[in-house]
Amino acid sequence: LPICYPVAAAVIAGGTLEQHLRALCAKHGITPIPENLNPLNTALYRKAYESDWMKQITAWADIRNNAAHGHHEKVKAELVAPMILGVRTFISSHPA
């Protein structure tokens, strides 16, 4: 999966993941729903998924945050491509 614009791709993938985590919070009755990726991840841990997914989501959140907050030199296309595939896998295996 070639990534021409890794910063934009990371922001979009991270936003997609964040929205899905919000939907999972609603599905699992978590209120109030946290506003950011890392608090969403923490709230869902053990209720919707286990530690392997939590660790992976934390790594994806780091990539997304670097992209969204101007640390573009830390956003590597070779990490964004598997992030996109991983987010797709996560969403399909954890429906909201």
Side-chain angles (χ1 to χ4, degrees):
L1 182 67
I3 303 294
C4 297
Y5 300 99
V7 171
V11 171
I12 292 168
T16 301
L17 176 63
E18 187 172 333
Q19 187 59 37
H20 188 70
L21 294 180
R22 281 194 187 95
L24 282 177
C25 281
K27 176 182 178 179
H28 290 278
I30 297 169
T31 57
I33 295 175
E35 293 186 20
N36 299 317
L37 257 173
N38 286 320
L40 285 163
N41 192 20
T42 300
L44 287 162
Y45 173 57
R46 293 192 182 151
K47 292 176 182 74
Y49 48 80
E50 294 302 320
S51 65
D52 288 347
W53 278 116
M54 183 185 192
K55 291 173 188 174
Q56 185 59 70
I57 291 168
T58 299
W60 292 334
D62 189 47
I63 294 169
R64 189 312 238 17
N65 288 339
N66 283 328
H69 297 289
H71 305 289
H72 300 164
E73 71 284 354
K74 295 180 180 180
V75 180
K76 308 293 183 206
E78 62 268 17
L79 297 177
V80 176
M83 175 185 175
I84 292 168
L85 295 174
V87 168
R88 286 180 184 165
T89 299
F90 175 79
I91 289 171
S92 66
S93 64
H94 297 83

